[in-house]
Amino acid sequence: NSGITEPETILKQSKEFNDKGIDISTIGVGQQLDFDLLRRIATYGRGSNYFIGDAEEDIQKTFKDELESLLYNIGKKPKLTINLPEGMNIKTFYGYQPKYISNHEIEVELENLDCGQTQIFLMEVEKNELENSSITASLVYEKNDEVKNISSKKEYDEMTETTQQELKKNFQIAKMTTALKKAAKDFSQTNMENSKKSMQNIISYYQSFCDKNDEDLKRIYNIALKYSSGQRTKSYY
């Protein structure tokens, strides 16, 4: 590489653009990349963080989605706050790393709300047998110098994952992309054994649980399949 390669210097320079109101998205292609640096740039820059393989269709789709999202901005500086009832515990987060306000309240800074863009925040929770099982969430964002607030309240449903197909798909995508990002990070740190293990976990999970006709799930699977060298696995087209 030529030019500046020191992560903190790159972050400092990207922040100068952020301070001028310029959002920055990052796109990681292949495996030889500094995933943590790309994630931090996108997080600080209120942009999107993409990780894709080097297949031409994946690259085209990512750039197309990113450009379309810039055509119309719905809101800036969105912040999601979730309140859990007493006795409900969080097991795992997917998509974003929240900040704990208290034992039962978390806060998540999201990417800017752009046209055609979907942001998914998933978490696995478990609860005791309590009367109150309501989860409340509020989304605050800026639009035309005004602060907007949207609130929602839902009852905990332990069967949601299996009864709502769209949520089930999002959950599967979250698990697979989390493993894919971990594989990329391990690869960049030359931890080849862990990287290969994560790829194999994606392949096994897809073959065991996922809808083979779903193009989004299939795309993640084929990326893992491509980079998991020497494995005798079946490709889906």
Side-chain angles (χ1 to χ4, degrees):
N1 293 333
S2 60
I4 299 172
T5 58
E6 210 285 317
E8 294 304 322
T9 302
I10 296 174
L11 283 170
K12 181 180 178 181
Q13 290 191 344
S14 67
K15 188 177 183 303
E16 293 175 358
F17 289 101
N18 304 151
D19 292 340
K20 296 177 182 178
I22 300 174
D23 300 330
I24 299 178
S25 293
T26 58
I27 300 174
V29 181
Q31 286 185 308
Q32 295 182 336
L33 52 87
D34 188 336
F35 172 75
D36 186 61
L37 174 61
L38 296 179
R39 178 189 59 79
R40 292 170 69 189
I41 291 174
T43 299
Y44 298 153
R46 294 281 184 179
S48 300
N49 176 25
Y50 300 94
F51 172 75
I52 57 178
D54 55 8
E56 182 178 350
E57 60 269 22
D58 292 333
I59 297 173
Q60 289 179 347
K61 181 180 185 301
T62 298
F63 275 92
K64 179 176 179 291
D65 290 346
E66 178 65 12
L67 288 173
E68 287 180 349
S69 73
L70 298 176
L71 294 177
Y72 180 69
N73 178 259
I74 299 173
K76 291 183 175 292
K77 299 182 179 179
K79 187 177 295 184
L80 177 67
T81 302
I82 299 176
N83 287 278
L84 304 176
E86 193 78 26
M88 186 173 290
N89 300 315
I90 300 172
K91 294 177 60 179
T92 311
F93 292 105
Y94 297 99
Y96 296 87
Q97 184 58 48
K99 178 174 65 175
Y100 277 88
I101 305 302
S102 66
N103 290 337
H104 304 287
E105 183 178 5
I106 58 174
E107 190 176 86
V108 187
E109 292 187 358
L110 304 175
E111 302 159 11
N112 283 336
L113 306 175
D114 295 320
C115 178
Q117 185 183 53
T118 300
Q119 298 187 49
I120 298 173
F121 175 78
L122 293 176
M123 62 181 181
E124 289 184 75
V125 298
E126 57 184 4
K127 76 177 186 69
N128 299 324
E129 294 298 327
L130 300 174
E131 292 184 6
N132 181 15
S133 60
S134 299
I135 301 175
T136 59
S138 63
L139 177 66
V140 177
Y141 61 93
E142 296 179 5
K143 176 67 174 179
N144 297 329
D145 297 326
E146 294 183 12
V147 177
K148 305 289 186 178
N149 192 322
I150 302 174
S151 298
S152 177
K153 183 177 182 179
K154 298 290 185 181
E155 293 296 320
Y156 173 88
D157 180 3
E158 62 183 9
M159 297 300 293
T160 295
E161 181 190 340
T162 56
T163 56
Q164 296 185 16
Q165 291 302 313
E166 187 64 24
L167 183 57
K168 181 180 179 180
K169 172 184 171 178
N170 289 335
F171 179 76
Q172 291 173 338
I173 289 176
K175 288 183 72 73
M176 293 170 70
T177 53
T178 297
L180 196 62
K181 290 176 180 179
K182 182 180 184 304
K185 185 175 182 179
D186 286 334
F187 187 91
S188 67
Q189 297 173 348
T190 65
N191 192 335
M192 309 307 293
E193 183 177 348
N194 282 350
S195 179
K196 188 174 181 179
K197 182 179 179 181
S198 293
M199 292 295 187
Q200 284 302 308
N201 287 341
I202 295 172
I203 293 169
S204 298
Y205 182 80
Y206 177 86
Q207 293 175 339
S208 299
F209 301 107
C210 297
D211 178 5
K212 308 303 183 296
N213 295 318
D214 188 283
E215 292 298 326
D216 294 323
L217 295 169
K218 188 189 303 181
R219 184 177 295 108
I220 302 172
Y221 168 78
N222 285 331
I223 291 174
L225 186 67
K226 180 175 182 178
Y227 287 105
S228 180
S229 59
Q231 300 298 318
R232 295 183 178 179
T233 49
K234 181 179 179 182
S235 181
Y236 292 86
Y237 297 98

